Amino acid sequence: MGDSTLWVAALTAATAVLASWVTSRGTARAARIQAEAAASTVQADRLRAARRAAYVDVIEQAQRMGDLYWKVTDAHNIGDADERLATLKDLRVRLRGEYAVLRQRVWVADLEGPPEVATAADRLRLSTGDNYRALCAMIAGEADAEERFHACYRPFWESVTHFVGVARGALHETRR
């Protein structure tokens, strides 16, 4: 009877050691999977935050430019020709500076991706060119320049709206 007790004790001990080893491997694997999932979530959140910041910067800059476009329209209504010309020239300088900021922010949006957002941001950037050329024509005194400027305003805002929609879609994709 003593011999079978020894065998039972040895078998029980071996089973306990094996069960402990299997459990520790399973626990380690589960911990590794959980850590990888957490890291993936953190990475996705960081990507989304970086993209969101880049997209918001583009939108804010487009808004600044749009505000200056309104000021161009207001300036064209100034009665004194010299004052109007000086105001339009000042606005042209300010728009150049705002365009430089927009260009930089579009590049950041391009780096953050995805490609469809980069394309929409570049389309927005390019839409400012007609406004600028029309403003220069207003300064030069061309007869139809004011109408050309007004005609450029809607395509500019359409490109802003398009960018917002594409950026929103990209941000919702990073949640998945």
Side-chain angles (χ1 to χ4, degrees), residues 59 62-63 124 127 155-165:
I59 294 165
Q63 180 66 45
L124 188 159
S127 74
F156 168 74
W157 280 112
E158 287 173 353
S159 69
V160 173
T161 303
H162 177 72
F163 174 78
V164 169

Side-chain angles (χ1 to χ4, degrees), residues 32-45:
R32 185 175 49 250
I33 290 170
Q34 186 176 13
E36 289 170 358
S40 177
T41 300
V42 168
Q43 182 179 0
D45 287 347

Side-chain angles (χ1 to χ4, degrees), residues 76-159:
H76 192 68
N77 296 324
I78 296 173
D80 180 76
D82 292 334
E83 183 183 346
R84 179 178 52 246
L85 184 60
T87 302
L88 290 174
K89 286 180 178 181
D90 176 61
L91 288 168
R92 179 178 59 185
V93 170
R94 291 173 62 190
L95 277 167
R96 268 190 241 149
E98 295 297 340
Y99 175 80
V101 174
L102 177 68
R103 187 179 61 231
Q104 182 267 337
R105 290 180 176 183
V106 165
W107 289 342
V108 173
D110 186 19
L111 286 172
E112 292 299 331
E116 43 293 338
V117 174
T119 300
D122 199 49
R123 177 180 164 203
L124 188 159
R125 180 189 63 80
L126 292 172
S127 74
T128 64
D130 290 335
N131 297 74
Y132 185 78
R133 284 186 288 280
L135 172 59
C136 290
M138 288 169 70
I139 291 169
E142 293 180 21
D144 66 340
E146 182 181 8
E147 291 79 28
R148 285 178 27 214
F149 187 84
H150 289 300
C152 298
Y153 196 74
R154 183 177 180 153
F156 168 74
W157 280 112
E158 287 173 353
S159 69

Side-chain angles (χ1 to χ4, degrees), residues 4-5 14 22 51 55 62 70 72 84 103 123 151 155 172 174:
S4 69
T5 304
V22 169
R51 285 182 174 179
Y55 303 163
W70 278 109
V72 168
R84 179 178 52 246
R103 187 179 61 231
R123 177 180 164 203
H172 290 301
T174 58

